[in-house]
Amino acid sequence: MKDIMGLIYTGENDARLRELTQVRAVAALPVAGRYRVIDFPVSSMVNTGIRNVGVITQKNYHSLMDHLGSGKEWDLHGKNNRLAILPPFLTRENIGVYNGLVDALQSNANYLHRCRQEYIILTTSHFIINTDFRDMMRFHAEKDADVTLLYTNDPAMRRVTQGSESTFFTTDSNGRIVGMEIDPTTPTREHTVIEVCLLKRELLLHLVDQAAANGQHEFMRGVLQPLINDGSLHVHGYEHKGRVWRIQSVQDYFQFNMDLLDSRVRGELFSRGYPVYTKLRDDMPTRYVGEAAVTNSLVADGCVIEGKVINSVVFRGVRIAKGAAVRNSVVMQDAEVEADAELDCCILDKQAVIRSKGRLIGPPAYPIVIAKGVVI
């Protein structure tokens, strides 16, 4: 695995996440009480044995840079281990805005040329999985593939909404992809792409150069799909059999956090052999005061709970005052719910405040979102 590098693209379309991505990239979204979305692809790479990881940023990347830092928490800060953050930059050829993954890769071609690894695992950041890429690498070698794509057969991933950029394909008996469709109204192909791609680094550079010369911007649509359809590239699919989530809307984000209230789901995602690493924050243990009552919830450290918390995810440093009730909600770091306030099916971003006796109740399908630092 020393001959494989990792590259994570964090410039996905985030319009459907609304207030949640006003001040941050999708990759920097807080999840599960103490993690960020970026923690999962980086941890999967580190657990696999990859020691050179690059993160291509696009916009609103300051919180992402602050979270990743030097890569210390992922052991990517040593002499031979490296975490490289690659923000956009302005040149005569590059206007600093990526219209797609091809643009991002072309702008960072110098970085890719300097890397020494023969193979590259290229991922986006809006899929959440926890996996070991070694089996995928063995499959890639056995099939003598040019490119291997990770896919899932999870029925939940077949849901297609406008702007979701979902990709589906069909394979033959040998696992080779023989047909691909992107953004269909109704999917007809059986496998759903997770957007994890394994190939040789030099091949990636060649494909990106050719695509850019032909005015293409999207990697799946502009590069892989034409080469699959004309049979000039051997592209195989490798199945990920574990759980997978796609974070492309407020509903996706809310459902992922609610799913983690199930201990079986947590046990699968945070498996003992494949830990998920994140930035540390030293806090005191959470204090439960007086008549505090917590049921079926995830509560991080550093909180002060005096009211009721039911079926909710509560991040670090949250204060829930006496008489307050939080149900079926996600309350991010350092938010505050004052006395006798009530929340149901809500998402409170960091440092949001719900004043005393405030009442917010949303439908489960469309949770109410309170932006960072807003006082209600």
Side-chain angles (χ1 to χ4, degrees):
M1 299 306 295
K2 292 181 179 180
D3 208 21
I4 303 179
M5 63 172 291
L7 189 64
I8 304 170
Y9 175 60
T10 67
E12 298 89 0
N13 180 11
D14 60 9
R16 296 175 63 238
L17 282 156
R18 302 184 352 235
E19 296 90 344
L20 295 177
T21 51
Q22 281 183 347
V23 295
R24 60 171 74 89
V26 177
L29 270 174
V31 293
R34 61 191 300 265
Y35 298 91
R36 304 279 184 133
V37 171
I38 191 71
D39 294 335
F40 294 90
V42 175
S43 296
S44 290
M45 290 176 179
V46 169
N47 291 332
T48 297
I50 295 172
R51 289 295 176 261
N52 180 19
V53 177
V55 179
I56 300 177
T57 63
Q58 165 73 320
K59 60 180 180 178
N60 294 342
Y61 54 83
H62 293 93
S63 61
L64 183 61
M65 293 178 66
D66 177 68
H67 178 73
L68 292 173
S70 65
K72 179 181 178 181
E73 280 79 7
W74 297 268
D75 193 25
L76 291 173
H77 66 302
K79 181 178 180 180
N80 297 317
N81 303 342
R82 182 187 183 195
L83 175 67
I85 300 176
L86 307 167
F89 57 94
L90 187 64
T91 66
R92 291 180 180 179
E93 296 78 20
N94 175 34
I95 63 173
V97 176
Y98 305 141
N99 292 318
L101 180 53
V102 170
D103 294 348
L105 292 170
Q106 186 188 32
S107 294
N108 290 280
N110 287 336
Y111 166 76
L112 294 174
H113 280 295
R114 291 196 304 270
C115 294
R116 299 178 181 179
Q117 288 79 14
E118 182 180 4
Y119 289 90
I120 182 169
I121 289 180
L122 174 65
T123 80
T124 57
S125 65
H126 62 273
F127 280 91
I128 293 181
I129 60 173
N130 187 7
T131 189
D132 188 331
F133 294 118
R134 278 178 280 231
D135 291 336
M136 184 179 179
M137 183 63 190
R138 283 190 283 267
F139 175 87
H140 182 84
E142 290 170 2
K143 299 297 183 180
D144 194 24
D146 295 318
V147 180
T148 297
L149 292 177
L150 196 65
Y151 72 86
T152 179
N153 286 325
D154 185 347
M157 290 296 102
R158 296 188 65 79
R159 175 175 51 85
V160 177
T161 54
Q162 186 177 6
S164 65
E165 301 178 0
S166 301
T167 304
F168 306 89
F169 62 74
T170 301
T171 58
D172 61 18
S173 58
N174 194 40
R176 182 174 176 177
I177 299 174
V178 293
M180 175 180 284
E181 58 186 16
I182 300 174
D183 295 341
T185 302
T186 303
T188 60
R189 308 289 182 176
E190 57 185 318
H191 307 309
T192 307
V193 173
I194 298 180
E195 295 187 12
V196 175
C197 180
L198 171 62
L199 71 167
K200 287 188 175 180
R201 181 173 52 86
E202 291 297 330
L203 174 60
L204 176 63
L205 287 166
H206 171 72
L207 293 176
V208 168
D209 184 61
Q210 292 295 309
N214 289 303
Q216 299 293 334
H217 303 288
E218 298 295 337
F219 188 71
M220 286 289 177
R221 190 188 300 275
V223 178
L224 291 186
Q225 189 178 34
L227 295 174
I228 288 170
N229 291 340
D230 64 23
S232 59
L233 201 67
H234 287 257
V235 183
H236 281 66
Y238 179 77
E239 183 179 2
H240 171 71
K241 297 182 179 180
R243 290 292 298 267
V244 55
W245 293 265
R246 178 171 49 210
I247 310 297
Q248 288 189 313
S249 68
V250 170
Q251 290 78 14
D252 292 340
Y253 174 81
F254 184 73
Q255 188 60 53
F256 170 65
N257 282 280
M258 292 298 103
D259 285 348
L260 292 181
L261 297 179
D262 187 333
S263 60
R264 294 170 297 180
V265 174
R266 291 199 306 274
E268 184 175 348
L269 184 61
F270 298 96
S271 59
R272 184 171 298 178
Y274 300 98
V276 180
Y277 305 99
T278 190
K279 180 181 179 180
L280 298 178
R281 169 174 157 167
D282 293 328
D283 265 321
M284 297 291 288
T286 288
R287 290 193 295 129
Y288 300 91
V289 182
E291 299 178 357
V294 178
T295 305
N296 190 39
S297 298
L298 292 178
V299 180
D301 51 345
C303 300
V304 178
I305 309 295
E306 299 179 78
K308 295 181 180 179
V309 180
I310 303 169
N311 299 330
S312 297
V313 178
V314 179
F315 285 68
R316 294 178 280 200
V318 169
R319 299 181 64 88
I320 298 176
K322 183 178 180 180
V326 176
R327 301 182 181 90
N328 310 307
S329 297
V330 178
V331 184
M332 293 192 203
Q333 186 170 300
D334 298 323
E336 184 173 355
V337 182
E338 294 187 352
D340 301 315
E342 182 180 358
L343 297 181
D344 196 343
C345 292
C346 295
I347 301 173
L348 264 62
D349 209 327
K350 295 173 65 175
Q351 300 162 8
V353 178
I354 305 300
R355 291 298 190 196
S356 179
K357 298 183 180 180
R359 189 167 182 260
L360 294 174
I361 299 178
Y366 297 94
I368 296 172
V369 180
I370 306 302
K372 180 178 180 181
V374 171
V375 178
I376 301 293

